[in-house]
């Protein structure tokens, strides 16, 4: 029999995360129906496992972890993790040195849209770390918890993900190397 | 440490995720390295665009209702137990509401201040930081006439350590304003003047209050319907001294 106090506590903690969880689920699954199923299953699993949640640890990271694990074992998740190339030397790899001519983001109305396409095209490992850091504004510690990876890996993956997104913006003409002309 | 080694830490620096000691050394390196500073500005700018563009999908309301039902699906209980459960839930909801509202306000204010600091860094990193180049306040002030829907006074600098370098138009929080650049010894100070209201009056205090953001000193206050910001890597005393001069002039 469900425990009224426990259920109310879970609801009070978990429902405010609904919008963020759905947004993240849609970014992962890239399909509305799959995202809906994913969120519903996440809440069901989290409610069931709420007893094992350790108070004092980060509840938000715990929910995102459940969502992400649920996605990885789903049909879409399995196929996307199978088709993606594994990233070589992920752990604490020193990033390639960038040139000393930084790019300039050309702020236009559709920059946001171009960036959405850039994020969409990123491999799953880059996409998830970028979304948790820059959209959910999670600390590296919480991202490490949610993705079950070391903090050093969060750091290197995130830097690489941002650089890759920016590279895609350059390719689509929304950022430019200093001194070159960009599409307006 | 070489410049290349610093570059690998720029993302973590922008996220304020380096140890305090390294944050300080990085700030020192940045003050003398335009290449790393420009790269940092890009990362900060990209972070901001990503934060907005990433909030792309909204869930159908039925889904929220369905999940709420799923959580609440439990057999009805006796009177006082039900009331106790509800009271407990109310306490949790109120507590949680406060816990969410307070940090999100701080986060929103920090974002606003970060935007102001970005404008300061971006202007100084640019090849032509000012559009009207003059040390004479009687040249700089009239340049804004017709460009802004408000007017303001610039302080007399005689006897102070400050010099006026010039001014440019700026957009902060989607509103136009004046951006003035001053110098003190080898440092630059940015003064931003905009109409107050919206997020400014909601998130920022009326009386001047100092903050540190990305190791810049920032102060902001409002007076006469206008919102003022002073941003600089100069000492906090310099920032408050220039703020005082501005307050007296207006």
């Amino acid at each position: 029999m469900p425990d009224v106090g426990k259920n109310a506590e879970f609801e009070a903690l978990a429902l405010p995360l609904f919008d963020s969880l759905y947004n993240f689920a849609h970014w992962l699954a890239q399909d509305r129906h799959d995202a809906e199923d994913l969120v519903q299953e996440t809440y069901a699993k989290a409610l069931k496992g709420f007893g094992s949640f350790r108070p004092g640890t980060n509840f938000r990271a715990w929910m995102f972890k459940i969502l992400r694990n649920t996605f990885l074992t789903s049909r879409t998740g399995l196929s996307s993790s199978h088709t993606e190339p594994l990233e070589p030397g992920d752990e604490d790899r020193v990033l390639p040195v960038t040139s000393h001519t930084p790019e300039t983001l050309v702020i236009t109305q559709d920059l946001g849209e171009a960036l959405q396409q850039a994020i969409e095209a990123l491999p799953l490992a880059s996409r998830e770390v970028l979304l948790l850091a820059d959209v959910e504004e999670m600390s590296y510690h919480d991202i490490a918890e949610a993705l079950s990876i070391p903090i050093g890996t969060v750091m290197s993956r995130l830097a690489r993900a941002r650089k890759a997104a920016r590279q895609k913006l350059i390719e689509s003409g929304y950022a430019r190397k200093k001194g070159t002309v960009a599409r307006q | 440490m070489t410049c290349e080694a610093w570059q690998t830490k720029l993302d973590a620096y922008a996220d304020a995720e380096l140890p305090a000691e390294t944050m300080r050394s990085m700030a020192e390196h940045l003050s003398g390295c335009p290449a790393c500073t420009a790269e940092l500005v890009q990362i900060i700018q990209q972070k901001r665009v990503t934060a907005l563009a990433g909030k792309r999908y909204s869930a159908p309301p039925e889904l929220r209702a369905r999940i709420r039902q799923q959580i609440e699906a439990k057999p009805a209980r006796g009177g006082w137990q039900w009331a106790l459960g509800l009271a407990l839930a109310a306490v949790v909801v109120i507590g949680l509401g406060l816990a969410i509202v307070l940090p999100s306000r701080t986060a929103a204010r920090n974002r606003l201040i970060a935007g102001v600091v970005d404008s300061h860094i971006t202007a100084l990193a640019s090849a032509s930081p000012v559009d009207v180049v003059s040390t004479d306040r009687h040249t700089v002030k009239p340049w804004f006439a017709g460009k802004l829907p408000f007017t303001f006074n610039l302080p007399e600098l005689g006897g102070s350590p400050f010099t006026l370098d010039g001014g440019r138009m700026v957009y902060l929080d989607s509103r136009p304003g004046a951006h003035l650049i001053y110098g003190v010894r080898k440092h630059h100070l940015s003064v931003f003047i905009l109409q107050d209201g919206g997020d400014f009056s909601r998130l920022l205090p009326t009386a001047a209050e100092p903050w540190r953001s990305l190791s810049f000193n920032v102060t902001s206050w409002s007076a006469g319907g206008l919102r003022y910001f002073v941003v600089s890597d100069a000492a906090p005393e310099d920032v408050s001294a220039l703020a005082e001069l501005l307050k007296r002039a207006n």
Side-chain angles (χ1 to χ4, degrees), chain A residues 2 7 11-12 19 22-23 26-27 36 40 44 97-98 100 103 105 116 120 137 139-140 158 162 166, chain B residues 4 7 11 15 17 35 42 46 51 53-54 56-57 59-60 64 66 68 70-72 77 92 96 111:
Chain A
N7 277 28
E11 183 172 339
D19 290 323
Y22 180 83
N23 184 52
H26 202 150
W27 272 112
E36 285 183 29
Q40 196 162 350
V97 172
T98 54
H100 277 257
E103 308 83 10
L105 286 182
Q116 286 174 345
E120 217 165 64
E137 298 181 2
S139 67
Y140 288 6
L158 177 60
R162 285 193 185 135
R166 210 179 326 158
Chain B
E4 283 73 19
Q7 288 219 343
D11 282 273
D15 295 328
E17 290 272 4
Q42 288 308 306
Q46 186 183 347
R56 185 183 195 183
Y57 304 108
R64 183 194 287 268
R66 209 153 65 222
R68 190 190 290 270
Q70 180 183 310
I71 299 171
E72 288 169 355
R77 293 211 167 187
V92 173
L96 195 82
R111 264 200 298 276

Side-chain angles (χ1 to χ4, degrees), chain A residues 1-5 7-16 18-19 22-23 26-27 32 36 39-40 43-44 47 94-95 97-100 102-105 107 111-112 115-117 119-120 130-131 134-135 137-141 155 158-159 161-163 165-166 178, chain B residues 3-5 7-8 10-15 17-18 33-36 38-39 42-43 45-47 49-68 70-75 77 81-82 85-86 88-89 92-93 96 100 107 111 125:
Chain A
M1 185 183 285
D3 177 337
V4 177
N7 277 28
E9 191 189 341
F10 175 78
E11 183 172 339
L13 285 168
L15 265 192
F18 174 75
D19 290 323
Y22 180 83
N23 184 52
H26 202 150
W27 272 112
R32 190 166 66 84
E36 285 183 29
V39 172
Q40 196 162 350
Y43 273 91
L47 178 60
V94 175
L95 292 163
V97 172
T98 54
S99 70
H100 277 257
E103 308 83 10
T104 309
L105 286 182
I107 304 284
L111 172 66
L115 190 59
Q116 286 174 345
Q117 282 165 13
I119 299 171
E120 217 165 64
L130 185 74
L131 292 166
D134 290 350
V135 182
E137 298 181 2
M138 272 193 198
S139 67
Y140 288 6
H141 178 271
M155 213 179 276
L158 177 60
R162 285 193 185 135
K163 219 155 268 172
R166 210 179 326 158
K178 235 181 192 167
Chain B
C3 194
E4 283 73 19
Q7 288 219 343
T8 62
L10 279 171
D11 282 273
Y13 180 77
D15 295 328
E17 290 272 4
L18 292 171
C33 180
C36 281
E39 176 76 17
Q42 288 308 306
I43 294 171
Q45 211 179 357
Q46 186 183 347
K47 260 164 69 86
V49 185
T50 308
L52 292 173
K55 291 195 181 72
R56 185 183 195 183
Y57 304 108
S58 38
E62 318 83 77
L63 180 63
R64 183 194 287 268
R66 209 153 65 222
I67 286 170
R68 190 190 290 270
Q70 180 183 310
I71 299 171
E72 288 169 355
K74 55 184 175 286
R77 293 211 167 187
Q81 276 175 322
W82 176 83
L86 200 69
L88 273 175
V92 173
V93 168
L96 195 82
I100 288 170
R111 264 200 298 276

Side-chain angles (χ1 to χ4, degrees), chain B residues 7-8 19 31 46 56 60 69 79 97 100 128 133 137 205-206 210 244:
Chain B
Q7 288 219 343
T8 62
S31 66
Q46 186 183 347
R56 185 183 195 183
Q69 258 176 5
I100 288 170
S128 51
V133 186
R137 65 190 168 123
T206 308
E244 267 317 303

Side-chain angles (χ1 to χ4, degrees), chain B residues 163-176:
Chain B
T163 50
L164 176 60
D165 293 345
R168 60 196 277 270
M169 289 289 292
V170 70
Y171 282 85
L172 284 173
D173 197 38
S174 318
R175 60 187 90 191

Side-chain angles (χ1 to χ4, degrees), chain A residues 18-78:
Chain A
F18 174 75
D19 290 323
S20 295
L21 287 168
Y22 180 83
N23 184 52
F24 188 61
H26 202 150
W27 272 112
L28 293 188
Q30 309 208 333
D31 174 87
R32 190 166 66 84
H33 291 294
D34 287 352
E36 285 183 29
D37 290 348
L38 191 51
V39 172
Q40 196 162 350
E41 204 178 330
T42 299
Y43 273 91
K45 280 187 183 167
L47 178 60
K48 215 169 143 197
F50 191 46
S52 70
F53 170 71
R54 294 192 313 281
T57 56
N58 193 303
F59 182 74
R60 199 154 155 258
W62 185 71
M63 287 294 285
F64 275 87
K65 184 181 187 160
I66 296 175
L67 188 144
R68 190 233 183 201
N69 289 344
T70 309
F71 170 70
L72 289 182
T73 50
S74 72
R75 196 169 34 83
T76 337
L78 283 173

